[in-house]
Amino acid sequence: MTIRTLLNQRFQTAMSAAGIAGECNPNISLSTREGFGDYQANGAMAAAKQMKMPPRDLAQTIVDNLDLDGIADKLEIAGPGFINIHLSPDFLARQASAQGAVLRQGQRSAENPQTIVVDYSSPNLAKEMHVGHLRSTIIGDAVVRVLEHLGHNVIRQNHMGDWGTQFGMLIAELEEHLGVGQKPEMALKDLEGFYQQAKKHFDDDAEFATKARNYVVKLQSGDQHCRELWQLFIDISVAHSEEIYRALNVTLSHSDIYPESAYNDDLESVINDLEAQNLAAEDQGAMVVFLDELSDKNGNPSPVIIRKSDGGYLYATTDLAALRYRSKTLNADRVLYFIDARQSLHMKQVFTLARKAGFVNPGISLEHHPFGTMMGEDGKPFKTRSGGTVKLANLLEEAVQRASALIAEKDPDLSAEERSEVARKVGIGAIKYADLSKTRTNDYIFNWEAMLSFEGNTAPYLQYAYSRIRSIFRRAGVDADTLSAAILIGEPQEKQLALKLTQFDEVLEQVAAEAYPHLLCTYLYDLASAFMAFYERCPILKDSVSPDLRNSRLQLASITAGTMAKGLELLGIEVMEKM
Ligand code: ARG
């Protein structure tokens, strides 16, 4: 149990003993200022207002009824009725040890395990993955790792865009390349270039355009030849994405791909269902739903086209079918979508309509977790120097190259092999961390120097902090993973470090609930800083330090290293023993 939960329970008991209504929340939070204790309970004020009582008096009554024996040393009432809680060092020492034991067990078991479907990455296969897919892929993956670590049943859904009108043009182009004897892998080596070429062909050549349109229809009606060309294209495009996933250290596997085309056979029944329920109606030949729930400020309902007048289905139709599958077949308790903020209206429409139509079970939680745009130094969406889209593959390559140059300068002693390993982990880690550490919903500016800096809230700083702790163990000749010593808390820096260590699970639970990985980043950065403060003030390997104290400090260091490694692993970032 986290300390916050424990305090919450004890306060709830005290509040009900003090005659306060059950719905009043103790409102436990971490103290934000030094001298205000470690945690605060701020619920007395709201309760007092409701009971028309002086808040400080009510706070005193709560404290009188509170049993925090063995947990807190001191309680004080401050300001208008805050209750400051000073935790006992012995309690913190025990909690920190318990945290160390949990880390060694690996994955936890959730008190209420849920089935959680997570839709992330989901690139369109017509083109190569570009920076626009980076955020969904790495933010989604971090949240998935945290949910899984907490013991939930996570089902990844890579909703790849493998269907739609562009594929007519692409397979017609592919057919021509193969016709002159080219191998498919060669023709599609540069997917981005291939797309541009096909597009130009389509725009300039009327005959080709007609054929491409024709192929869309043939493809959708199951024509063998078109299907084969399409499959060839899809397989190569998927392989491109999977290369990126490997390079990015992302956990998506082949079996997580459940693309748009998987719902082809469900689309007609989606329309029929909506029509039968009088939710959809024909409008100028198209099938449209008007949602009053999402009306604009003039009272006009929000239109959702679910079938075009030419009979084609849309992005929203597929998403409705996907939601029905996720709720009724996968039995999801929650469905999380990591998609660009620009698709917020689309998601709102799909969620509203799915609920209205009974496509999802009533208790399900449908969550769009949007994110902002990655910007260049000029404050405009990130582009190449010539204004093109930046391929993810090139970006990752550049990251590793830059990291390699940096490492060569910093650690000339590393062997070439070690250096390439470190460069890969640092370069990829830097890109991921720079993104994950920003509040998801904001835009952010992509900056190589900042993300590769060894100072501040960056991956290299945290990776370096980890290696440094591990080097203490090498010098001490002690195995950090099997060490088992009592923690003794004397110095304030020891207390602060133990307190930080005990908050790991609290942070993970918050990340799981709100899908904000930056909370974990901030935590890890604070933990590293708490360790640095401890390390400066509390010698470990000096002769003057008694064996018990030395082992206690080594124990704190070992739990810190374990927490950092686990935290970074949950962000999808690798650590190393030496750097
Ligand atoms: N393929 C879409 C895009 O690249 C993202 C799909 C997100 N998932 C979904 N179920 N709509 O914009």
Side-chain angles (χ1 to χ4, degrees):
M1 193 188 302
T2 64
I3 296 182
R4 189 198 293 265
T5 313
L6 178 67
L7 291 174
N8 207 44
Q9 285 179 358
R10 297 293 171 97
F11 268 85
Q12 236 144 19
T13 310
M15 285 169 79
S16 74
I20 299 169
E23 73 267 17
C24 286
N25 186 335
N27 205 345
I28 307 285
S29 65
L30 272 170
S31 294
T32 44
R33 264 207 275 164
E34 214 165 314
F36 286 19
D38 305 310
Y39 281 83
Q40 281 174 274
N42 303 335
M45 279 87 77
K49 198 165 176 192
Q50 218 180 67
M51 297 167 74
K52 303 200 169 40
M53 268 182 75
R56 282 187 71 104
D57 291 357
L58 189 64
Q60 187 58 56
T61 316
I62 297 173
V63 169
D64 293 343
N65 281 288
L66 196 59
D67 174 14
L68 289 181
D69 276 357
I71 298 175
D73 273 355
K74 194 168 89 176
L75 295 165
E76 53 198 11
I77 297 167
F82 299 107
I83 302 170
N84 297 341
I85 307 154
H86 298 258
L87 295 172
S88 109
D90 283 349
F91 170 72
L92 275 175
R94 280 198 308 278
Q95 291 287 314
S97 299
Q99 158 71 7
V102 169
L103 279 173
R104 280 180 196 172
Q105 273 163 25
Q107 193 185 313
R108 301 200 349 199
S109 54
E111 276 160 41
N112 304 304
Q114 291 186 308
T115 296
I116 305 177
V117 169
V118 186
D119 181 321
Y120 71 108
S121 192
S122 308
N124 289 331
L125 295 180
K127 294 186 177 183
E128 200 161 323
M129 277 181 86
H130 55 83
V131 295
H133 298 113
L134 182 68
R135 305 209 70 191
S136 174
T137 306
I138 64 183
I139 297 171
D141 203 53
V143 174
V144 156
R145 286 168 185 258
V146 169
L147 291 169
E148 236 163 28
H149 172 72
L150 293 178
H152 294 292
N153 168 31
V154 177
I155 305 177
R156 296 163 176 78
Q157 291 281 283
N158 193 348
H159 190 84
M160 286 179 156
D162 64 344
W163 203 245
T165 47
Q166 322 90 300
F167 288 97
M169 169 183 101
L170 293 166
I171 61 179
E173 182 72 23
L174 181 59
E175 187 181 44
E176 298 207 351
H177 285 253
L178 301 184
V180 295
Q182 250 196 66
K183 288 248 180 318
E185 291 76 18
M186 272 323 281
L188 299 175
K189 208 167 140 16
D190 171 16
L191 261 188
E192 200 60 37
F194 185 86
Y195 184 94
Q196 303 309 341
Q197 211 177 335
K199 178 86 177 58
K200 189 164 186 324
H201 207 165
F202 186 88
D203 291 339
D204 297 349
D205 180 344
E207 207 176 308
F208 179 81
T210 310
K211 182 163 160 197
R213 286 200 197 90
N214 220 334
Y215 273 17
V216 178
V217 181
K218 280 183 145 184
L219 178 65
Q220 299 195 339
S221 58
D223 173 87
Q224 179 94 18
H225 174 65
C226 286
R227 277 286 181 148
E228 276 166 17
L229 284 168
W230 173 77
Q231 193 63 55
L232 213 51
F233 186 94
I234 296 300
D235 288 347
I236 292 172
S237 183
V238 165
H240 277 292
S241 299
E242 292 190 318
E243 235 170 84
I244 301 275
Y245 295 153
R246 257 195 307 280
L248 266 180
N249 185 30
V250 157
T251 61
L252 278 168
S253 74
H254 201 70
S255 55
D256 301 320
I257 300 175
Y258 208 80
E260 292 195 4
S261 64
Y263 300 101
N264 283 347
D265 294 341
D266 300 343
L267 302 179
E268 197 182 317
S269 81
V270 165
I271 308 285
N272 292 344
D273 254 18
L274 293 173
E275 211 180 355
Q277 297 187 59
N278 283 324
L279 288 169
E282 216 168 288
D283 191 83
Q284 300 166 42
M287 203 45 109
V288 188
V289 178
F290 290 97
L291 291 171
D292 290 324
E293 292 83 347
L294 302 176
S295 312
D296 65 16
K297 53 182 187 297
N298 301 320
N300 303 313
S302 172
V304 190
I305 307 179
I306 50 174
R307 194 178 63 206
K308 290 188 284 187
S309 53
D310 68 4
Y313 300 108
L314 291 106
Y315 187 44
T317 329
T318 310
D319 259 327
L320 287 167
L323 250 185
R324 189 164 67 174
Y325 169 74
R326 291 166 185 185
S327 180
K328 305 287 177 178
T329 306
L330 298 180
N331 273 313
D333 297 303
R334 295 173 70 186
V335 189
L336 278 51
Y337 291 80
F338 290 91
I339 319 180
D340 196 303
R342 283 170 287 199
Q343 293 191 28
S344 293
L345 176 62
H346 165 77
M347 288 325 294
K348 263 193 209 148
Q349 292 176 326
V350 169
F351 291 169
T352 306
L353 186 50
R355 282 200 193 276
K356 240 178 141 171
F359 287 167
V360 293
N361 299 327
I364 198 169
S365 168
L366 304 178
E367 309 168 25
H368 174 206
H369 295 294
F371 46 81
T373 308
M374 181 166 137
M375 303 290 200
E377 301 283 356
D378 56 1
K380 298 200 187 105
F382 194 72
K383 289 269 158 63
T384 58
R385 217 163 285 171
S386 58
T389 47
V390 178
K391 285 188 193 179
L392 220 34
N394 297 348
L395 191 78
L396 301 184
E397 223 168 88
E398 181 169 353
V400 176
Q401 270 166 15
R402 283 179 182 258
S404 178
L406 217 67
I407 304 288
E409 201 180 297
K410 265 192 133 48
D411 293 290
D413 301 341
L414 290 181
S415 71
E417 207 175 307
E418 280 173 323
R419 194 207 305 162
S420 92
E421 173 84 358
V422 172
R424 186 180 60 76
K425 292 179 176 176
V426 169
I428 300 296
I431 287 206
K432 292 178 85 170
Y433 193 88
D435 192 301
L436 293 168
S437 59
K438 312 286 189 315
T439 306
R440 163 168 56 69
T441 42
N442 296 345
D443 295 343
Y444 78 93
I445 291 183
F446 186 90
N447 180 300
W448 287 115
E449 282 71 37
M451 73 177 70
L452 282 164
S453 164
F454 279 73
E455 272 149 52
N457 190 12
T458 65
Y461 171 75
L462 293 177
Q463 288 167 320
Y464 182 65
Y466 172 82
S467 322
R468 231 176 107 180
I469 303 176
R470 296 293 292 188
S471 76
I472 299 172
F473 286 89
R474 279 197 296 278
R475 267 183 287 138
V478 172
D479 180 358
D481 302 319
T482 54
L483 179 71
S484 159
I487 294 175
L488 313 167
I489 291 179
E491 300 293 334
Q493 289 81 1
E494 288 171 311
K495 186 179 172 192
Q496 278 312 311
L497 180 57
L499 179 65
K500 261 287 153 218
L501 288 171
T502 61
Q503 284 156 5
F504 186 51
D505 280 353
E506 254 166 54
V507 172
L508 295 184
E509 273 165 24
Q510 208 185 345
V511 174
E514 299 168 15
Y516 276 116
H518 78 275
L519 299 171
L520 177 53
C521 298
T522 308
Y523 168 80
L524 291 173
Y525 180 60
D526 289 347
L527 175 63
S529 311
F531 183 83
M532 292 308 172
F534 155 84
Y535 193 53
E536 242 163 63
R537 175 75 197 133
C538 307
I540 303 180
L541 303 181
K542 277 217 181 101
D543 288 343
S544 56
V545 179
S546 76
D548 283 351
L549 195 53
R550 165 191 148 111
N551 284 339
S552 158
R553 288 177 178 170
L554 281 172
Q555 187 73 55
L556 277 172
S558 148
I559 302 171
T560 304
T563 305
M564 300 234 353
K566 178 51 87 179
L568 287 168
E569 179 196 320
L570 295 177
L571 294 170
I573 293 171
E574 294 174 272
V575 291
M576 54 237 112
E577 294 300 303
K578 269 203 260 177
M579 75 182 270

